[in-house]
Amino acid sequence: MNWITIIYQIPREMHKNRMAVWRKLKSIAALNVLQSIWILPESEAAKSELKALEKQISENGGKSIYCVTVIEDEAQNQKIIDGFNSERKQDFKEFFDKCDDFGHEIKRETERENFTYAEVEENEHEIKKLHIWLNKIIRKDYFDCSFKSEAAERLKKSEDLLSRFSDEVYNRNDE
């Protein structure tokens, strides 16, 4: 399998630049295989992202090497894929927690009988945030992590809770 790889070194005193590079690598879901060695599955998007990062590193006083790495051993490739999936599982678990929080919020507001339009708007906003977050995770899910379908189910459950809550608000305020 082919991987796009970036190997870099940024002087320790350039903490701000080191953090900017790290944040960028995390945002594109690159996998840190060893210290300052990050990879992505080969794609035009990965090439573009890592070439731009290579330029950024050198412009800010660091050193980097961009290359294509070919790993022929399937067991080694699977180890890397497992690493990517492990990171996505963490993302999905955080998403599940937020869906649970949403469910608790709807339950709390229902128990308090806080059936207001403002509460519906607030919770619609929360659902939109969940959609955005899930889409970001899915874009970074290069190897179809096993939690993807559960995430879609959890989001649907949250939407259903909001729908029932909204119906109650409209029923109580329609009088």
Side-chain angles (χ1 to χ4, degrees):
M1 185 166 185
N2 291 355
W3 303 93
I4 305 301
T5 306
I6 190 161
I7 305 164
Y8 69 93
Q9 182 179 27
I10 299 173
R12 289 202 184 279
E13 56 275 0
M14 302 177 94
H15 182 70
K16 185 178 173 183
N17 292 334
R18 292 167 63 89
M19 287 304 297
V21 169
W22 180 84
R23 278 194 301 273
K24 180 61 179 175
L25 288 163
K26 294 301 277 182
S27 77
I28 61 174
L31 181 68
N32 185 215
V33 291
L34 294 171
Q35 186 173 351
S36 299
I37 301 174
W38 294 74
I39 62 171
L40 284 167
E42 185 177 38
S43 71
E44 288 306 313
K47 289 177 186 178
S48 176
E49 291 282 6
L50 292 187
K51 281 183 180 179
L53 195 54
E54 177 188 35
K55 182 179 177 190
Q56 177 185 335
I57 291 166
S58 68
E59 286 175 352
N60 288 295
K63 300 176 190 173
S64 63
I65 297 170
Y66 160 93
C67 60
V68 175
T69 304
V70 178
I71 300 177
E72 294 176 356
D73 183 336
E74 284 308 310
Q76 292 299 316
N77 281 314
Q78 191 58 53
K79 225 191 274 189
I80 293 169
I81 291 168
D82 291 347
F84 275 100
N85 282 336
S86 176
E87 291 198 6
R88 292 303 69 75
K89 283 180 181 179
Q90 287 304 113
D91 291 342
F92 282 121
K93 285 178 183 179
E94 287 180 36
F95 178 80
F96 297 161
D97 289 345
K98 290 298 178 189
C99 287
D100 291 345
D101 291 347
F102 181 83
H104 296 312
E105 172 67 13
I106 292 291
K107 182 180 178 189
R108 223 178 357 263
E109 296 305 332
T110 300
E111 288 170 351
R112 291 175 39 203
E113 295 190 17
N114 188 16
F115 298 110
T116 65
Y117 292 115
E119 197 61 40
V120 170
E121 286 180 2
E122 178 184 322
N123 287 307
E124 285 173 340
H125 180 71
E126 292 303 312
I127 286 290
K128 285 178 186 172
K129 287 178 8 184
L130 287 172
H131 271 277
I132 290 166
W133 191 4
L134 181 56
N135 287 332
K136 284 181 183 179
I137 296 169
I138 290 170
R139 275 195 307 273
K140 298 188 306 185
D141 185 19
Y142 301 118
F143 298 101
D144 293 323
C145 174
S146 61
F147 287 10
K148 187 188 291 188
S149 60
E150 183 179 348
E153 292 168 13
R154 296 265 192 126
L155 181 57
K156 175 73 170 109
K157 181 179 174 186
S158 296
E159 290 170 333
D160 291 346
L161 287 171
L162 176 59
S163 178
R164 287 193 300 275
F165 182 82
S166 297
D167 289 346
E168 188 64 26
V169 169
Y170 296 126
N171 289 336
R172 289 184 182 224
N173 289 288
D174 195 30
E175 300 166 350

